[in-house]
Amino acid sequence: MRYLNNLFFPLLLSLFSAGLLIAQDAESNQGALILISTEGTVRYLDEKETQQEDIKIGSIIPSTYLVETGEDGKLTGLLSNGTLLTLTENTRMKVATFEQEPFKDDGRKLADLPGEPSQSKVDLELEYGSLVVKTKKLSKGSVFNINSPLGVAGIRGTEFQMASNPGQGVQLDVTESTVAFTPPGGGQPIPVSQGSGLSVSPSGVATPRPVNPVVASKIESTNQAATEATQDISLGEVATAVEQIAQESEAMTESDSDAATEADEDTEAKEGTQSDDTGEESKSNEPQDSENQVTEQQGGGEQSNQKAESQQSSEPVPSEIVPNESTDEPESSEAGNNQGQKGERIDQTQEGTKPGGDAPKEAAKPSQVKKINTENTKVEQPDKSMLLENNPNLKNNQKLSRFGLTKEQTEKFERLSPKAREAIVMESPGIVRRLLSMSEFEGDKSDIFFGHEQETRELLLTMNDDVLIQLLDAAVDPVLLKESLQKINRGVVRPENMPDREPDMVSNARAIALGDKLKEQGNSELMEELLEMSEGVLNDQWLRVGEVAEVLSRDLQVEDFSTIDSFATEEVFGNPFFPEIANVYDQLELDALVNGADKVLGGDNLIVTENARAFGSHFSQGVKEVVLISQGEMNFLGDFEWKSTEKEGAKLVLMSSGDLKIKEGVTLKSATSDLVLATRENLLLNKVELNADKEVTIRGMRDVTLNEVVIGASELARIKARRDLNVDGLGFKRDVSRIIMEATTMRLRNVNFPGASQVRLNSLKGPVDGKYPNFGTSIPAAQQIGRVNFIENVRTGGNLLHDRPSFDQHGKNIKIGTIARP
């Protein structure tokens, strides 16, 4: 199993990713790190660790620079993908990699974007110190890693702090979403979810723990300050910064290319002069000077003989470019990995040639001089595994050893088209040997064969060789051929011609089918990730992971829920492709808002039409809790009503890791089950009615805004926001027994609590003077934070609560409390 799948891994990776990745690299730009603010001592060190003084607020910090903060230092930066970075005191960090696809200014502010403006790849190197991070929701295919000496933190969209100290280890504290921490040397990533922490000892032992409350408070306040400092920055300003990076990179590339061309031309002229006994050099009165010049350049010296230069070229060789005269010594791999390396850079001699600069103390050694590749000015060390992917011939030839082919069969394999070569190596050795032994199995015949679906190929392989070749005719309709083969005279069929297939081919066929579906949907990167996580071993367990992810990654417009596949809870919330949606459900469990889902169904972006049919079918056979999920947006376009056959405790959970939108005027209704609305993003409900049997819950992991919302429930109406709860118009259709509203800060307008309801309003700081909310519009915004605020027209049983006396008289059923974890 492992052997075949390890062969299968690079093939699938090639089919579904190699071309895509190459195309992305060709179009991608460098991202930009923009300096927002600094405090105390902050230093910027270039690749030679020379301190630079030209970094000002609002300017771009070059990706080659190290950033250091002193004991009193602090720096806030903005990555052009929307991520906020805050370096606290005694921290040393570098943006090792930041690639980002181009994006356009759409007129919005960066703060208004729910996710990053375009796909990106970020690798930060945290040598020591502490980073507080707040990211936008990352696009599919984006990568964001923080590397430390004790492991790597992988992020999908979150708020957290990571501290690294060689003598103390790593401390990871997560206040939102999930971070996957991978120990040194690989191994299974350790998920650290919201409200949790991880301590990693200097020896690499990882210990889960609760989040440090002091650190959690620091993360919240630090990110809030960074958010406020960047809230007015427009997407256009960020796009301009990215364009500036691209222009500077292009200008540098052109300059390096021109300089390298001049150097190569000059070198050729010198070589030609030395080898031509009858040329210009024979007329020179000073041949020794010319020889000395060439010798110095071959030895890496930076001095040149001006007289010899004037004889060999009309333009002097740029002194910062020293060609490598050695042609028989292969370039070291270090030449493609110059970032972060000291003394191994292409432009080593630049410092000694800048106007006004001091002369270098020591000439560069021959081994340190690298010849510039004018076709590859952006030097990046390639992933060794991708070298095989980018060379299909090499990759396929490497696989041929398992098939035991003769020389003639191998030569025929080489003559097949690239598509046929990719396909044939998926077959068993017996089938490969048989196909390559057929004299006419090449060219169009082989392409037609592998153009048929697998069942047709299976049927063709039961035929005699001559019949099989005859049937490989481009004019034959594939559907007709398949039907004919199924009905053909069994006297012609020779089952013994069909070599036994290896058991793993079933799994391979299943994996190919999965890959085809993902490719059709434009989700090829999901297969890439699956192969990487499984280390190329796509067993039944990993294939099931991918199949569930494929279904739940589709964009759906639902008219009939009975046709939608559902899955068990562990298949979805334990699936590594859904960490964000799993985190939302984990939060609902911590809040005791869910009891354990019986079924989960949904898609990536989900549109539910008016009166979508047969949703109640999922509540049959003892099912009490059904969860409808979306990774992107969930939209309800019209009234939606559902029923449950359960008499007690049935619950529908509508849950999104993106936006949850309900069209104005829409009613969601069930007389037989409860309703939970939950989203990881800000939640806005405008002119919506929510009716359920006993309980209605609204839960936002960020801000919740309710405008003219009506809730109908008999026992409990619960509204909870992690940050701000803003209400302007809230009514209750029935005399609900209890109402619970919780948020860091609560601002209420035009609310009428039923007179008989027990109301609990909890905020971060709790009541004023042990009992009261803030009253009126004149309360300064700073004093509203962390409190319950009755801004305007808040009533209970129709009685206005506008000051302390009215609250004492009519608000006896309203209790204001404190919440430790909103």
Side-chain angles (χ1 to χ4, degrees):
M1 181 73 179
R2 174 174 287 273
Y3 179 70
L4 271 183
N5 276 310
N6 280 338
L7 289 173
F8 182 60
F9 167 61
L11 175 60
L12 235 95
L13 192 57
S14 174
L15 285 172
F16 303 114
S17 73
L20 178 64
L21 290 175
I22 293 169
Q24 288 178 345
D25 273 348
E27 298 176 359
S28 64
N29 287 343
Q30 281 187 281
L33 171 59
I34 304 167
L35 179 60
I36 300 300
S37 66
T38 62
E39 298 178 14
T41 304
V42 177
R43 300 200 308 154
Y44 310 96
L45 308 177
D46 65 15
E47 58 270 21
K48 297 179 181 179
E49 300 214 13
T50 302
Q51 186 169 342
Q52 301 297 313
E53 305 292 346
D54 57 344
I55 307 299
K56 309 298 182 185
I57 300 300
S59 63
I60 297 170
I61 302 176
S63 60
T64 56
Y65 281 17
L66 278 163
V67 182
E68 283 187 351
T69 58
E71 293 185 1
D72 61 342
K74 183 178 180 180
L75 178 144
T76 299
L78 170 67
L79 296 178
S80 53
N81 69 350
T83 297
L84 293 169
L85 298 176
T86 302
L87 283 67
T88 60
E89 68 280 357
N90 294 321
T91 296
R92 181 178 168 103
M93 184 215 75
K94 177 182 178 180
V95 180
T97 302
F98 187 10
E99 298 173 1
Q100 185 174 10
E101 291 187 4
F103 60 91
K104 295 181 180 179
D105 175 19
D106 63 2
R108 288 186 292 175
K109 292 181 179 179
L110 190 66
D112 297 332
L113 298 180
E116 61 177 347
S118 65
Q119 190 178 66
S120 65
K121 177 183 178 182
V122 181
D123 277 295
L124 306 181
E125 291 183 358
L126 178 61
E127 292 190 17
Y128 58 79
S130 176
L131 281 178
V132 178
V133 181
K134 179 180 181 180
T135 71
K136 295 286 186 181
K137 182 179 179 181
L138 300 184
S139 304
K140 286 183 178 179
S142 289
V143 177
F144 195 125
N145 292 323
I146 300 179
N147 301 279
S148 77
L150 290 175
V152 179
I155 298 103
R156 288 299 305 166
T158 188
E159 295 187 37
F160 71 100
Q161 175 172 295
M162 182 173 176
S164 177
N165 187 305
Q168 300 175 8
V170 168
Q171 301 296 321
L172 189 60
D173 290 272
V174 181
T175 58
E176 184 174 317
S177 192
T178 300
V179 175
F181 186 85
T182 304
Q188 288 296 322
I190 304 169
V192 186
S193 58
Q194 179 174 316
S196 300
L198 186 73
S199 296
V200 184
S201 70
S203 62
V205 177
T207 305
R209 55 173 172 75
V211 69
N212 185 322
V214 176
V215 175
S217 178
K218 178 182 177 182
I219 295 170
E220 182 76 23
S221 61
T222 299
N223 282 335
Q224 182 63 31
T227 300
E228 292 174 358
T230 57
Q231 62 185 357
D232 293 328
I233 295 177
S234 69
L235 188 60
E237 291 173 302
V238 178
T240 300
V242 172
E243 289 173 3
Q244 179 183 337
I245 289 284
Q247 290 169 0
E248 291 175 354
S249 177
E250 183 178 354
M252 184 176 297
T253 297
E254 291 176 355
S255 175
D256 288 349
S257 179
D258 291 344
T261 301
E262 292 175 5
D264 288 342
E265 290 174 353
D266 188 70
T267 300
E268 290 172 3
K270 296 171 189 175
E271 291 172 346
T273 300
Q274 287 179 287
S275 60
D276 189 356
D277 293 334
T278 62
E280 290 291 325
E281 185 62 25
S282 63
K283 300 177 183 180
S284 173
N285 295 325
E286 297 178 6
Q288 287 186 343
D289 290 343
S290 177
E291 292 173 0
N292 291 338
Q293 180 190 12
V294 174
T295 302
E296 288 173 0
Q297 290 185 348
Q298 288 174 333
E302 298 183 27
Q303 298 179 351
S304 61
N305 188 297
Q306 298 294 333
K307 184 178 293 185
E309 284 181 351
S310 64
Q311 292 172 343
Q312 296 173 23
S313 175
S314 60
E315 296 183 9
V317 179
S319 58
E320 67 269 23
I321 301 177
V322 184
N324 184 358
E325 299 289 338
S326 176
T327 58
D328 55 354
E329 181 179 345
E331 288 241 342
S332 167
S333 62
E334 293 173 357
N337 191 20
N338 54 38
Q339 290 192 6
Q341 300 292 328
K342 301 177 183 178
E344 290 286 335
R345 299 190 57 80
I346 291 172
D347 56 351
Q348 286 182 19
T349 60
Q350 284 185 348
E351 184 177 358
T353 60
K354 292 180 180 178
D358 297 333
K361 296 180 180 180
E362 184 179 350
K365 297 179 180 180
S367 62
Q368 292 177 316
V369 179
K370 305 297 179 187
K371 184 173 182 177
I372 296 178
N373 183 348
T374 58
E375 298 178 357
N376 239 343
T377 53
K378 181 180 179 182
V379 183
E380 183 175 342
Q381 181 68 15
D383 183 347
K384 292 181 180 179
S385 65
M386 291 307 295
L387 294 177
L388 199 62
E389 299 307 320
N390 295 332
N391 191 335
N393 290 335
L394 177 62
K395 177 181 64 178
N396 289 325
N397 287 343
Q398 189 182 63
K399 295 179 180 180
L400 292 182
S401 60
R402 67 183 281 259
F403 297 115
L405 302 182
T406 65
K407 180 181 178 181
E408 290 75 15
Q409 290 169 334
T410 302
E411 290 174 350
K412 176 171 284 189
F413 173 85
E414 295 293 348
R415 293 195 297 270
L416 298 179
S417 67
K419 183 177 180 180
R421 289 199 300 268
E422 293 283 5
I424 198 171
V425 295
M426 293 304 303
E427 301 293 340
S428 68
I431 292 177
V432 173
R433 288 192 294 270
R434 180 189 171 197
L435 292 173
L436 293 177
S437 296
M438 298 182 193
S439 59
E440 297 182 55
F441 188 81
E442 53 186 322
D444 291 343
K445 299 291 186 184
S446 59
D447 289 339
I448 293 170
F449 178 82
F450 287 110
H452 287 297
E453 60 183 61
Q454 183 175 340
E455 184 179 352
T456 303
R457 298 200 305 269
E458 296 266 1
L459 291 168
L460 284 168
L461 288 167
T462 64
M463 315 299 292
N464 287 320
D465 290 358
D466 55 347
V467 176
L468 188 156
I469 292 297
Q470 292 175 22
L471 290 173
L472 295 180
D473 189 329
V476 178
D477 180 76
V479 176
L480 180 61
L481 175 63
K482 180 179 177 181
E483 292 177 352
S484 300
L485 287 169
Q486 291 170 337
K487 299 176 181 179
I488 201 168
N489 188 328
R490 294 300 173 183
V492 181
V493 176
R494 298 289 303 276
E496 64 271 19
N497 290 331
M498 185 71 176
D500 292 335
R501 286 187 175 271
E502 299 177 42
D504 286 332
M505 299 309 294
V506 177
S507 295
N508 287 349
R510 186 176 163 193
I512 291 173
L514 173 61
D516 287 341
K517 290 180 181 178
L518 291 169
K519 191 174 182 180
E520 289 173 6
Q521 297 169 21
N523 286 335
S524 295
E525 69 277 358
L526 192 149
M527 177 60 83
E528 298 168 35
E529 295 179 35
L530 182 67
L531 289 164
E532 290 175 4
M533 287 187 290
S534 67
E535 297 181 351
V537 184
L538 291 180
N539 55 25
D540 287 344
Q541 179 182 358
W542 280 110
L543 282 170
R544 182 58 178 171
V545 167
E547 289 163 350
V548 172
E550 183 271 319
V551 172
L552 296 179
S553 296
R554 300 172 186 170
D555 289 340
L556 298 177
Q557 179 166 321
V558 182
E559 297 178 354
D560 187 351
F561 275 102
S562 66
T563 64
I564 306 300
D565 292 332
S566 62
F567 301 96
T569 308
E570 59 274 12
E571 286 191 303
V572 179
F573 300 136
N575 193 303
F577 290 102
F578 306 111
E580 294 174 354
I581 201 70
N583 180 255
V584 176
Y585 194 81
D586 288 344
Q587 187 62 57
L588 296 182
E589 285 188 315
L590 288 173
D591 294 338
L593 302 178
V594 292
N595 304 316
D598 297 304
K599 283 187 177 182
V600 182
L601 62 157
D604 190 5
N605 294 292
L606 185 64
I607 297 176
V608 181
T609 60
E610 184 173 4
N611 292 319
R613 296 185 298 274
F615 190 85
S617 64
H618 289 285
F619 276 103
S620 60
Q621 299 179 347
V623 173
K624 288 190 173 183
E625 183 174 299
V626 176
V627 181
L628 180 65
I629 68 169
S630 70
Q631 296 188 86
E633 286 190 0
M634 181 182 293
N635 285 271
F636 284 80
L637 301 183
D639 293 344
F640 179 63
E641 185 171 357
W642 71 100
K643 295 180 180 179
S644 169
T645 58
E646 289 297 306
K647 296 182 179 179
E648 190 72 27
K651 183 178 297 184
L652 173 63
V653 182
L654 307 178
M655 192 172 75
S656 176
S657 59
D659 292 330
L660 196 163
K661 299 178 179 179
I662 303 175
K663 187 178 179 181
E664 288 186 15
V666 164
T667 297
L668 305 187
K669 181 180 179 181
S670 176
T672 57
S673 60
D674 299 332
L675 174 64
V676 177
L677 302 182
T679 176
R680 185 175 174 271
E681 301 296 330
N682 297 329
L683 177 59
L684 169 63
L685 299 180
N686 194 33
K687 298 181 181 178
V688 170
E689 187 170 321
L690 307 174
N691 291 310
D693 179 22
K694 295 179 180 179
E695 298 183 7
V696 170
T697 298
I698 300 171
R699 178 59 161 117
M701 306 306 169
R702 295 187 178 178
D703 297 339
V704 172
T705 301
L706 307 180
N707 297 325
E708 299 184 44
V709 171
V710 176
I711 295 177
S714 61
E715 293 186 1
L716 176 63
R718 182 165 31 198
I719 305 168
K720 187 171 183 177
R722 181 168 178 252
R723 299 190 301 206
D724 292 350
L725 172 57
N726 300 301
V727 177
D728 188 357
L730 177 62
F732 298 88
K733 198 169 183 180
R734 288 182 273 170
D735 287 336
V736 57
S737 300
R738 291 186 299 144
I739 299 171
I740 300 175
M741 301 171 69
E742 297 180 325
T744 298
T745 300
M746 194 180 307
R747 299 180 178 91
L748 306 181
R749 291 181 172 89
N750 302 311
V751 178
N752 187 14
F753 297 112
S757 299
Q758 296 299 312
V759 180
R760 184 78 178 186
L761 307 177
N762 298 327
S763 68
L764 185 64
K765 296 181 180 178
V768 178
D769 294 337
K771 181 178 180 180
Y772 301 103
N774 283 322
F775 295 99
T777 59
S778 61
I779 303 297
Q783 295 182 24
Q784 294 179 15
I785 295 175
R787 299 290 187 184
V788 176
N789 300 278
F790 287 9
I791 304 296
E792 182 181 7
N793 192 27
V794 178
R795 300 172 181 268
T796 178
N799 298 301
L800 183 63
L801 306 175
H802 60 91
D803 54 22
R804 292 190 179 192
S806 61
F807 188 85
D808 289 337
Q809 181 178 0
H810 302 295
K812 295 179 180 179
N813 61 332
I814 300 176
K815 304 296 181 184
I816 297 177
T818 302
I819 184 169
R821 185 179 54 82

